[in-house]
Amino acid sequence: MKLKQAKQSVVFGADRVTLEQVISIASGASRAELSNQADYRNKLERGVQLLSKLLREDGVVYGVTTGYGDSCTVPVSLDLVEELPLHLTRFHGCGLGRHLTEEAAFATIACRLASLSLGYSGVRPELLQQLVDLLNHRIAPAIPEEGSVGASGDLTPMSYVAAALVGEREVYFEGKLVSAASALKSVGLKPLTLHPKEALAIMNGTTVMTALGCLAYARAEYLSRLVSRLTALASIALQGNSNHFDEKLFTLKPHRGQQQIAKWIREDLNHHQKPRNSDRLQDRYSIRCTPHVVGVLRDALPWMRESLENELNSVNDNPIIDGEEGRVLHGGHFYGGHVAFVMDSLKNCVANLADLMDRQLALLVDTKFNNGLPSNLSGAEGARGAINHGFKAVQIGVSAWTAEALKNTMPASVFSRSTECHNQDKVSMGTIAARDCLRVLELTEQVAAAHLLALSQALRLRVKRSSLEESELSVAVRTFLHEVSVDFPLVVEDRPLEAELRRTVEKIRRRSWALYD
């Protein structure tokens, strides 16, 4: 089967892998390659040879000549060593819950490939190439979300990746859920026979949580931009005071992220050319303090990126096979504490964005606070106004989504559980934290979609009622509103908005609008 060529390649085994590269592979915009440099291939081979040497010499290696976890004291005879890897994949095939999205599954494979391709896991180039082939042929293992405590790594979910390599269980391929064996066969690949240590190398690591973290980071970064744009629109719709975002004001509290948010809003409001004053000396906090709310996320993103990319480019399985010095190192690099902390922190920051937008929307629909906009932003006029309710129910929905997002901010990492005969007696819960974070993102994107449509309605009503001239708006804001209005007609007579909300959520998730430089 001929592969469809993507726009660019990410070469594993060469340079550090970035979040953006993982996301690009996951979306199908990039293809994966394994470095063919001779020095690199020799490095991989030295790790494989070290394991073979230890087996010949009856060396004791965890997970190779012993059982797993608390069973590390149980020796495995040499005549059973070759069977041990397959058993590891099979007894961990007990995940439950929904399947990860295909995008998340591909991000997971890319993250595992990044770690194993560093050359300290004792795996053969053939295994790395099989991972590359899964990515490039778009064969996504069907990975259940639930079953990992995030130390000894993501063992259960990663067993589904290992199973796909050997032609077992199910995968998503060409839009269908099919057997892994049939998907491999259809693209001309053969099931892999796992060698000693290889199943453990695939499964034992911080892979799923890191993959979900990469996807979450990109969505959160985009939301920080979108909320800035929506706040500018809310300030205009509410006839707010642009002086709240004055450059001088923000030189006096020098958090860089906060300053960035203020700058974006200031530019959207045309504050440099024409400061916008209000009858109110001070707008309510949900408008005036937006840079202080969203700025926390902006200032946190750099260290979150550093932690995620360090994890992405780490050797995080156990044991580590150092073919260079001929050593086997037993440790705990599978522990996902850094990712857990990032995800717990990120979901907190993102939920605050939902709360902020919820408060802004509450002002927009309420005639006590919206400075002359119609009740619930209804576009109906005259007698028809009595039976039309505009965005009333949408605002209730936003309140529900926000409440659920806030509820999910409880940190998962503090809920460590002792498991596996008290061998795994302190665990990270990083994968649960990452899943929580994605749920908070999903809810916040729903809030943003509703707020965006409401703001589009509000501003068009202002123009329609001659309390706003389109020429007053910045070019960026005018362009943005036009793009939104193309497939969102003004709500005059009540209509179900679910389909339009869903389309808008998807556009937000796919980062469809270019926001700021």
Side-chain angles (χ1 to χ4, degrees), residues 305-377:
R305 171 188 284 274
E306 180 180 18
S307 287
L308 288 171
E309 288 192 341
N310 279 343
E311 198 70 43
L312 172 61
N313 291 281
S314 69
V315 181
N316 49 53
D317 58 317
N318 178 57
I320 288 169
I321 309 301
D322 184 0
E324 305 286 312
E325 297 186 9
R327 304 174 68 194
V328 177
L329 304 170
H330 295 83
H333 283 359
F334 46 70
Y335 194 89
H338 282 81
V339 179
F341 185 63
V342 169
M343 292 293 96
D344 278 342
S345 302
L346 186 59
K347 70 189 184 188
N348 180 298
C349 291
V350 170
N352 267 294
L353 304 189
D355 199 27
L356 182 79
M357 290 184 287
D358 174 55
R359 296 300 80 217
Q360 291 180 0
L361 181 57
L363 297 177
L364 282 169
V365 299
D366 193 334
T367 55
K368 295 188 296 294
F369 307 108
N370 66 16
N371 289 336
L373 286 167
S375 178
N376 297 304
L377 303 178

Side-chain angles (χ1 to χ4, degrees), residues 238-291:
L238 294 167
Q239 297 181 330
N241 190 337
S242 69
N243 288 293
H244 295 322
F245 310 102
D246 189 86
E247 184 173 10
K248 176 62 177 179
L249 180 64
F250 282 90
T251 63
L252 304 178
K253 192 173 185 183
H255 295 293
R256 291 183 181 179
Q258 179 178 277
Q259 290 175 329
Q260 179 66 76
I261 300 301
K263 179 176 182 290
W264 284 338
I265 297 173
R266 186 167 60 246
E267 291 173 349
D268 277 348
L269 294 177
N270 273 337
H271 179 71
H272 294 300
Q273 289 78 29
K274 186 179 179 181
R276 187 182 299 273
N277 293 304
S278 170
D279 292 337
R280 286 179 57 86
L281 184 63
Q282 296 187 148
D283 292 333
R284 287 171 174 80
Y285 284 15
S286 60
I287 302 296
R288 187 182 2 146
C289 296
T290 291

